[in-house]
Amino acid sequence: MTDGWGFRRPDDDDGTAAQHTPPAVAPPASFWWSDALNDPWRDPHSPVALVPPAERAHAPEPEPLAEPDHTRRRTLWTVAGAAVLAGVLAGVLGGAMGVRFSDDRLAARSILGSTAAPPHRAPESLAAVASLLLPSVVTVRVPVDGSVSLGSGFVASADGHIITNDHVVSGSSGVVSVIFDDGTSSPAKVIGSDPESDVAVLQVKRAELHPAMLGDSDAVAVGDAVVAIGSPLALRGTVTAGIVSALDRPIATEADNGATRYYAAIQTDAAVNHGNSGGPLVDAAGQVVGINAVIKSMAGSEESAGNIGLAFAIPINHARRVAEEIISAGRAHRTVIGAEVEESFRGPAGGVRLGQVTATGPAAEAGMRTGDVVTSFAGRPLSEPTDLIALVRKAAPGAVVEVTYKRGSTSHDAAVTLVADAD
């Protein structure tokens, strides 16, 4: 049954089948109920009574409309409910498994964020260098006239030898003691000191010492990274960092006994203050290359002086030689060239003029005379008397040094073999 036109084949009188053409009229319009199941305004639960118009009574009746399948609707709702329930159960199960396998992670988290793994520090990092040296560094406590003076030092041998500055222990009026990085302390014996080089040696009786590694100060270059460790202003275990600013900086300071200290220092911009004296200056490999000794300041007095990035350390090669002589012989010998210098001389082209030249001394044996002007020592130009003295003190007795000097307008080169003083 369709909504279009139809045709039939009637029986003829003579029994011959004749084909009839459908009338050439337009097909009647479809009724609105012909697609009732897809009607969006239809209420499937309301009774339906369809009565064709009188003028279309002869039209074929439409196909009966089936009532909605209530069983199918209930099945769809059941499937949908089961799907929702399955989703809820899956979410609960997944959450439980997530909590189960992340217990350790949740335990490590804090309220304000997660806890990162400990950082891995390279052996040459500043933190690694500090960790290596801190057990070797000590605070030196020296009783002086009813009060206590503080300085720094470091363990240099398994026998308990500690190197510090002479000016740290000079003037002691009682028992010197040292405080280690772990806070424990031990009494220390002053083995000996050398005021002119500003080096002193102490010794403690203690198990499980951590001697520092001593480097080669002759291998230090300007720009090398360095670390200063000590007790500035009584702040034990302070670590500061900087670079080597200059080498062979001539230093001359007055000792308590009236002598003058001379050394060719390592200059650094690492922060050094009162109390750092005697502590180590360490390179990036964790090796001691110097002993912090002097600072320059714009302050009007030594007591109010503070760090301005100009600190000076005794090269460890110089300090080790002096310390070994103190340990083995009780005193150290100065290195000399066998001539005095004229403090007042200032030549237009620099240089240091020699005063009295010892007849059998190193300078005389190399052909030098009184009045000669030394312009360079070991390849380093000279401009002040302090320059020559500091460089001579730095060298070890027996060292052969190339010297350039002038006699009048003539320049000469000589190889001078330095010696220890006779005193």
Side-chain angles (χ1 to χ4, degrees):
M1 183 172 293
T2 68
D3 289 332
W5 53 269
F7 71 93
R8 66 185 179 89
R9 188 190 303 272
D11 295 331
D12 294 337
D13 292 339
D14 56 3
T16 301
Q19 183 173 357
H20 300 274
T21 302
V25 295
S30 298
F31 295 102
W32 66 270
W33 58 78
S34 63
D35 194 28
L37 293 178
N38 295 322
D39 181 10
W41 301 101
R42 175 176 173 269
D43 182 1
H45 299 288
S46 64
V48 179
L50 302 177
V51 180
E55 61 272 14
R56 296 299 299 261
H58 63 280
E61 295 182 358
E63 294 180 1
L65 298 177
E67 290 294 323
D69 190 350
H70 297 288
T71 302
R72 181 170 177 271
R73 286 171 53 84
R74 287 193 297 271
T75 301
L76 291 175
W77 279 107
T78 302
V79 171
V84 172
L85 180 60
V88 172
L89 291 176
V92 172
L93 180 60
M97 294 180 66
V99 171
R100 169 63 182 84
F101 290 107
S102 63
D103 281 345
D104 294 339
R105 183 181 301 175
L106 290 174
R109 293 182 60 187
S110 66
I111 296 175
L112 299 181
S114 60
T115 301
H120 174 72
R121 295 180 175 88
E124 66 274 13
S125 69
L126 294 179
V129 170
S131 177
L132 179 66
L133 263 296
L134 279 170
S136 305
V137 181
V138 299
T139 300
V140 181
R141 290 172 48 92
V142 181
V144 179
D145 298 331
S147 63
V148 175
S149 176
L150 297 179
S152 302
F154 60 93
V155 179
S157 76
D159 293 330
H161 292 110
I162 294 174
I163 296 179
T164 186
N165 286 141
D166 169 74
H167 75 260
V168 170
V169 298
S170 62
S172 172
S173 58
V175 177
V176 176
S177 62
V178 296
I179 304 173
F180 291 85
D181 184 59
D182 61 3
T184 59
S185 63
S186 298
K189 178 183 178 181
V190 179
I191 300 299
S193 64
D194 180 42
E196 291 195 10
S197 63
D198 200 13
V199 174
V201 178
L202 314 177
Q203 189 173 22
V204 296
K205 300 297 183 181
R206 181 185 175 97
E208 299 181 359
L209 292 170
H210 300 275
M213 295 184 293
L214 305 187
D216 181 5
S217 53
D218 290 339
V220 175
V222 173
D224 281 350
V226 287
V227 174
I229 307 177
S231 303
L233 307 179
L235 300 174
R236 179 167 51 86
T238 297
V239 178
T240 57
I243 63 169
V244 174
S245 303
L247 296 172
D248 292 332
R249 188 71 77 190
I251 295 295
T253 60
E254 294 298 325
D256 291 341
N257 63 356
T260 302
R261 302 182 175 111
Y262 294 99
Y263 47 87
I266 299 172
Q267 181 180 330
T268 177
D269 66 350
V272 173
N273 289 279
H274 288 297
N276 273 116
S277 293
L281 185 70
V282 185
D283 65 11
Q287 299 177 338
V288 179
V289 295
I291 303 174
N292 299 310
V294 178
I295 61 175
K296 292 286 187 181
S297 176
M298 302 295 292
S301 65
E302 182 179 349
E303 289 74 16
S304 59
N307 168 66
I308 58 172
L310 294 173
F312 304 91
I314 304 168
I316 193 61
N317 289 3
H318 183 185
R320 174 165 47 191
R321 174 171 54 83
V322 172
E324 288 175 348
E325 289 187 5
I326 291 174
I327 293 171
S328 61
R331 65 179 296 271
H333 293 275
R334 297 176 299 168
T335 304
V336 296
I337 195 173
E340 296 179 355
V341 297
E342 293 187 3
E343 296 284 350
S344 60
F345 176 80
R346 297 294 183 271
V352 178
R353 187 161 68 185
L354 300 181
Q356 181 67 37
V357 175
T358 305
T360 58
E365 291 183 356
M368 302 172 68
R369 302 176 185 172
T370 300
D372 289 345
V373 177
V374 182
T375 57
S376 73
F377 181 92
R380 293 173 174 81
L382 306 177
S383 60
E384 299 284 342
T386 303
D387 298 348
L388 178 59
I389 299 173
L391 290 172
V392 169
R393 295 285 192 269
K394 175 185 175 183
V400 180
V401 182
E402 295 295 325
V403 174
T404 301
Y405 65 94
K406 279 188 174 183
R407 182 174 296 157
S409 60
T410 305
S411 181
H412 302 271
D413 293 327
V416 180
T417 302
L418 304 176
V419 298
D421 63 345
D423 296 338

